[in-house]
PDB file of all heavy atoms in Angstrom:
ATOM      1  N   LEU A   3      45.217 148.551 104.181  1.00 57.00           N
ATOM      2  CA  LEU A   3      46.212 149.602 104.156  1.00 57.00           C
ATOM      3  C   LEU A   3      46.972 149.491 105.456  1.00 57.00           C
ATOM      4  O   LEU A   3      46.387 149.536 106.531  1.00 57.00           O
ATOM      5  CB  LEU A   3      45.550 150.976 104.051  1.00 57.00           C
ATOM      6  CG  LEU A   3      44.697 151.205 102.806  1.00 57.00           C
ATOM      7  CD1 LEU A   3      44.002 152.542 102.912  1.00 57.00           C
ATOM      8  CD2 LEU A   3      45.546 151.147 101.568  1.00 57.00           C
ATOM      9  N   CYS A   4      48.298 149.338 105.368  1.00 58.00           N
ATOM     10  CA  CYS A   4      49.094 149.136 106.567  1.00 58.00           C
ATOM     11  C   CYS A   4      50.085 150.272 106.751  1.00 58.00           C
ATOM     12  O   CYS A   4      50.636 150.796 105.792  1.00 58.00           O
ATOM     13  CB  CYS A   4      49.865 147.818 106.498  1.00 58.00           C
ATOM     14  SG  CYS A   4      48.780 146.389 106.391  1.00 58.00           S
ATOM     15  N   VAL A   5      50.313 150.628 108.013  1.00 52.00           N
ATOM     16  CA  VAL A   5      51.274 151.662 108.356  1.00 52.00           C
ATOM     17  C   VAL A   5      52.286 151.041 109.305  1.00 52.00           C
ATOM     18  O   VAL A   5      51.922 150.399 110.283  1.00 52.00           O
ATOM     19  CB  VAL A   5      50.562 152.846 109.053  1.00 52.00           C
ATOM     20  CG1 VAL A   5      51.563 153.898 109.454  1.00 52.00           C
ATOM     21  CG2 VAL A   5      49.499 153.420 108.140  1.00 52.00           C
ATOM     22  N   TYR A   6      53.550 151.234 108.999  1.00 50.00           N
ATOM     23  CA  TYR A   6      54.614 150.712 109.841  1.00 50.00           C
ATOM     24  C   TYR A   6      55.219 151.860 110.634  1.00 50.00           C
ATOM     25  O   TYR A   6      55.318 152.979 110.140  1.00 50.00           O
ATOM     26  CB  TYR A   6      55.703 150.044 108.994  1.00 50.00           C
ATOM     27  CG  TYR A   6      55.201 148.826 108.256  1.00 50.00           C
ATOM     28  CD1 TYR A   6      54.776 148.908 106.943  1.00 50.00           C
ATOM     29  CD2 TYR A   6      55.148 147.596 108.893  1.00 50.00           C
ATOM     30  CE1 TYR A   6      54.299 147.805 106.270  1.00 50.00           C
ATOM     31  CE2 TYR A   6      54.673 146.478 108.228  1.00 50.00           C
ATOM     32  CZ  TYR A   6      54.260 146.586 106.918  1.00 50.00           C
ATOM     33  OH  TYR A   6      53.792 145.485 106.266  1.00 50.00           O
ATOM     34  N   PRO A   7      55.651 151.611 111.864  1.00 49.00           N
ATOM     35  CA  PRO A   7      56.238 152.682 112.663  1.00 49.00           C
ATOM     36  C   PRO A   7      57.551 153.161 112.058  1.00 49.00           C
ATOM     37  O   PRO A   7      58.254 152.418 111.383  1.00 49.00           O
ATOM     38  CB  PRO A   7      56.468 152.029 114.030  1.00 49.00           C
ATOM     39  CG  PRO A   7      56.447 150.573 113.788  1.00 49.00           C
ATOM     40  CD  PRO A   7      55.607 150.344 112.568  1.00 49.00           C
ATOM     41  N   VAL A   8      57.884 154.416 112.297  1.00 50.00           N
ATOM     42  CA  VAL A   8      59.118 155.014 111.787  1.00 50.00           C
ATOM     43  C   VAL A   8      60.052 155.212 112.966  1.00 50.00           C
ATOM     44  O   VAL A   8      59.670 155.748 113.995  1.00 50.00           O
ATOM     45  CB  VAL A   8      58.812 156.365 111.102  1.00 50.00           C
ATOM     46  CG1 VAL A   8      60.071 157.043 110.644  1.00 50.00           C
ATOM     47  CG2 VAL A   8      57.858 156.152 109.948  1.00 50.00           C
ATOM     48  N   ALA A   9      61.309 154.773 112.812  1.00 51.00           N
ATOM     49  CA  ALA A   9      62.301 154.925 113.870  1.00 51.00           C
ATOM     50  C   ALA A   9      63.382 155.893 113.404  1.00 51.00           C
ATOM     51  O   ALA A   9      64.009 155.679 112.375  1.00 51.00           O
ATOM     52  CB  ALA A   9      62.924 153.574 114.209  1.00 51.00           C
ATOM     53  N   ALA A  10      63.596 156.959 114.144  1.00 50.00           N
ATOM     54  CA  ALA A  10      64.642 157.948 113.861  1.00 50.00           C
ATOM     55  C   ALA A  10      64.549 158.466 112.434  1.00 50.00           C
ATOM     56  O   ALA A  10      65.556 158.634 111.756  1.00 50.00           O
ATOM     57  CB  ALA A  10      66.017 157.359 114.145  1.00 50.00           C
ATOM     58  N   GLY A  11      63.343 158.712 111.965  1.00 51.00           N
ATOM     59  CA  GLY A  11      63.152 159.299 110.653  1.00 51.00           C
ATOM     60  C   GLY A  11      63.303 158.341 109.493  1.00 51.00           C
ATOM     61  O   GLY A  11      63.237 158.729 108.346  1.00 51.00           O
ATOM     62  N   ARG A  12      63.529 157.070 109.748  1.00 52.00           N
ATOM     63  CA  ARG A  12      63.670 156.088 108.664  1.00 52.00           C
ATOM     64  C   ARG A  12      62.692 154.955 108.872  1.00 52.00           C
ATOM     65  O   ARG A  12      62.371 154.596 109.994  1.00 52.00           O
ATOM     66  CB  ARG A  12      65.090 155.507 108.654  1.00 52.00           C
ATOM     67  CG  ARG A  12      66.148 156.523 108.378  1.00 52.00           C
ATOM     68  CD  ARG A  12      67.479 155.839 108.314  1.00 52.00           C
ATOM     69  NE  ARG A  12      68.523 156.840 108.224  1.00 52.00           N
ATOM     70  CZ  ARG A  12      69.791 156.573 108.265  1.00 52.00           C
ATOM     71  NH1 ARG A  12      70.193 155.339 108.407  1.00 52.00           N
ATOM     72  NH2 ARG A  12      70.670 157.527 108.173  1.00 52.00           N
ATOM     73  N   ARG A  13      62.291 154.366 107.773  1.00 51.00           N
ATOM     74  CA  ARG A  13      61.429 153.188 107.876  1.00 51.00           C
ATOM     75  C   ARG A  13      62.268 152.009 108.354  1.00 51.00           C
ATOM     76  O   ARG A  13      63.413 151.859 107.970  1.00 51.00           O
ATOM     77  CB  ARG A  13      60.805 152.874 106.517  1.00 51.00           C
ATOM     78  CG  ARG A  13      59.801 153.937 106.084  1.00 51.00           C
ATOM     79  CD  ARG A  13      59.132 153.536 104.799  1.00 51.00           C
ATOM     80  NE  ARG A  13      58.298 152.370 104.955  1.00 51.00           N
ATOM     81  CZ  ARG A  13      57.016 152.380 105.284  1.00 51.00           C
ATOM     82  NH1 ARG A  13      56.424 153.509 105.496  1.00 51.00           N
ATOM     83  NH2 ARG A  13      56.334 151.272 105.393  1.00 51.00           N
ATOM     84  N   GLN A  14      61.680 151.192 109.181  1.00 49.00           N
ATOM     85  CA  GLN A  14      62.395 150.024 109.670  1.00 49.00           C
ATOM     86  C   GLN A  14      62.463 148.963 108.578  1.00 49.00           C
ATOM     87  O   GLN A  14      61.603 148.873 107.716  1.00 49.00           O
ATOM     88  CB  GLN A  14      61.678 149.447 110.888  1.00 49.00           C
ATOM     89  CG  GLN A  14      61.679 150.383 112.079  1.00 49.00           C
ATOM     90  CD  GLN A  14      60.913 149.797 113.234  1.00 49.00           C
ATOM     91  OE1 GLN A  14      60.280 148.755 113.106  1.00 49.00           O
ATOM     92  NE2 GLN A  14      60.963 150.454 114.368  1.00 49.00           N
ATOM     93  N   SER A  15      63.508 148.148 108.655  1.00 47.00           N
ATOM     94  CA  SER A  15      63.637 147.062 107.684  1.00 47.00           C
ATOM     95  C   SER A  15      62.591 145.999 107.988  1.00 47.00           C
ATOM     96  O   SER A  15      62.021 145.953 109.063  1.00 47.00           O
ATOM     97  CB  SER A  15      65.040 146.454 107.768  1.00 47.00           C
ATOM     98  OG  SER A  15      65.199 145.821 109.022  1.00 47.00           O
ATOM     99  N   ARG A  16      62.366 145.099 107.006  1.00 49.00           N
ATOM    100  CA  ARG A  16      61.360 144.051 107.201  1.00 49.00           C
ATOM    101  C   ARG A  16      61.679 143.192 108.422  1.00 49.00           C
ATOM    102  O   ARG A  16      60.793 142.832 109.171  1.00 49.00           O
ATOM    103  CB  ARG A  16      61.265 143.171 105.963  1.00 49.00           C
ATOM    104  CG  ARG A  16      60.631 143.865 104.802  1.00 49.00           C
ATOM    105  CD  ARG A  16      60.524 142.875 103.635  1.00 49.00           C
ATOM    106  NE  ARG A  16      60.118 143.536 102.429  1.00 49.00           N
ATOM    107  CZ  ARG A  16      58.881 143.655 102.030  1.00 49.00           C
ATOM    108  NH1 ARG A  16      57.914 143.139 102.745  1.00 49.00           N
ATOM    109  NH2 ARG A  16      58.581 144.291 100.927  1.00 49.00           N
ATOM    110  N   SER A  17      62.947 142.888 108.627  1.00 46.00           N
ATOM    111  CA  SER A  17      63.296 142.022 109.758  1.00 46.00           C
ATOM    112  C   SER A  17      63.092 142.757 111.079  1.00 46.00           C
ATOM    113  O   SER A  17      62.741 142.159 112.081  1.00 46.00           O
ATOM    114  CB  SER A  17      64.743 141.546 109.624  1.00 46.00           C
ATOM    115  OG  SER A  17      65.620 142.658 109.612  1.00 46.00           O
ATOM    116  N   ALA A  18      63.291 144.076 111.078  1.00 48.00           N
ATOM    117  CA  ALA A  18      63.126 144.838 112.314  1.00 48.00           C
ATOM    118  C   ALA A  18      61.650 145.002 112.651  1.00 48.00           C
ATOM    119  O   ALA A  18      61.288 145.126 113.808  1.00 48.00           O
ATOM    120  CB  ALA A  18      63.780 146.204 112.179  1.00 48.00           C
ATOM    121  N   ARG A  19      60.801 145.011 111.630  1.00 47.00           N
ATOM    122  CA  ARG A  19      59.366 145.196 111.869  1.00 47.00           C
ATOM    123  C   ARG A  19      58.803 144.001 112.631  1.00 47.00           C
ATOM    124  O   ARG A  19      58.118 144.176 113.610  1.00 47.00           O
ATOM    125  CB  ARG A  19      58.612 145.338 110.543  1.00 47.00           C
ATOM    126  CG  ARG A  19      58.849 146.633 109.875  1.00 47.00           C
ATOM    127  CD  ARG A  19      57.995 146.716 108.631  1.00 47.00           C
ATOM    128  NE  ARG A  19      58.648 147.603 107.678  1.00 47.00           N
ATOM    129  CZ  ARG A  19      58.609 147.469 106.396  1.00 47.00           C
ATOM    130  NH1 ARG A  19      57.946 146.475 105.854  1.00 47.00           N
ATOM    131  NH2 ARG A  19      59.214 148.305 105.608  1.00 47.00           N
ATOM    132  N   GLY A  20      59.034 142.848 112.127  1.00 49.00           N
ATOM    133  CA  GLY A  20      58.585 141.632 112.787  1.00 49.00           C
ATOM    134  C   GLY A  20      57.086 141.569 113.029  1.00 49.00           C
ATOM    135  O   GLY A  20      56.619 140.819 113.851  1.00 49.00           O
ATOM    136  N   GLY A  21      56.331 142.403 112.347  1.00 48.00           N
ATOM    137  CA  GLY A  21      54.885 142.371 112.520  1.00 48.00           C
ATOM    138  C   GLY A  21      54.413 143.121 113.752  1.00 48.00           C
ATOM    139  O   GLY A  21      53.236 143.317 113.944  1.00 48.00           O
ATOM    140  N   LEU A  22      55.341 143.541 114.608  1.00 47.00           N
ATOM    141  CA  LEU A  22      54.950 144.255 115.817  1.00 47.00           C
ATOM    142  C   LEU A  22      54.792 145.740 115.516  1.00 47.00           C
ATOM    143  O   LEU A  22      55.560 146.325 114.762  1.00 47.00           O
ATOM    144  CB  LEU A  22      55.994 144.072 116.915  1.00 47.00           C
ATOM    145  CG  LEU A  22      56.184 142.631 117.385  1.00 47.00           C
ATOM    146  CD1 LEU A  22      57.320 142.564 118.375  1.00 47.00           C
ATOM    147  CD2 LEU A  22      54.913 142.099 117.990  1.00 47.00           C
ATOM    148  N   GLY A  23      53.812 146.361 116.102  1.00 50.00           N
ATOM    149  CA  GLY A  23      53.595 147.783 115.919  1.00 50.00           C
ATOM    150  C   GLY A  23      52.974 148.127 114.579  1.00 50.00           C
ATOM    151  O   GLY A  23      52.827 149.279 114.244  1.00 50.00           O
ATOM    152  N   LYS A  24      52.630 147.130 113.816  1.00 52.00           N
ATOM    153  CA  LYS A  24      52.046 147.346 112.502  1.00 52.00           C
ATOM    154  C   LYS A  24      50.557 147.587 112.680  1.00 52.00           C
ATOM    155  O   LYS A  24      49.880 146.849 113.371  1.00 52.00           O
ATOM    156  CB  LYS A  24      52.315 146.118 111.639  1.00 52.00           C
ATOM    157  CG  LYS A  24      51.709 146.143 110.281  1.00 52.00           C
ATOM    158  CD  LYS A  24      52.148 144.880 109.546  1.00 52.00           C
ATOM    159  CE  LYS A  24      51.128 144.478 108.534  1.00 52.00           C
ATOM    160  NZ  LYS A  24      51.489 143.272 107.815  1.00 52.00           N
TER     161      LYS A  24
END
Side-chain angles (χ1 to χ4, degrees):
L3 300 174
C4 298
V5 178
Y6 296 96
V8 176
R12 297 183 188 174
R13 292 184 66 90
Q14 295 178 353
S15 66
R16 289 183 189 267
S17 60
R19 288 184 207 146
L22 297 175
K24 176 177 152 181

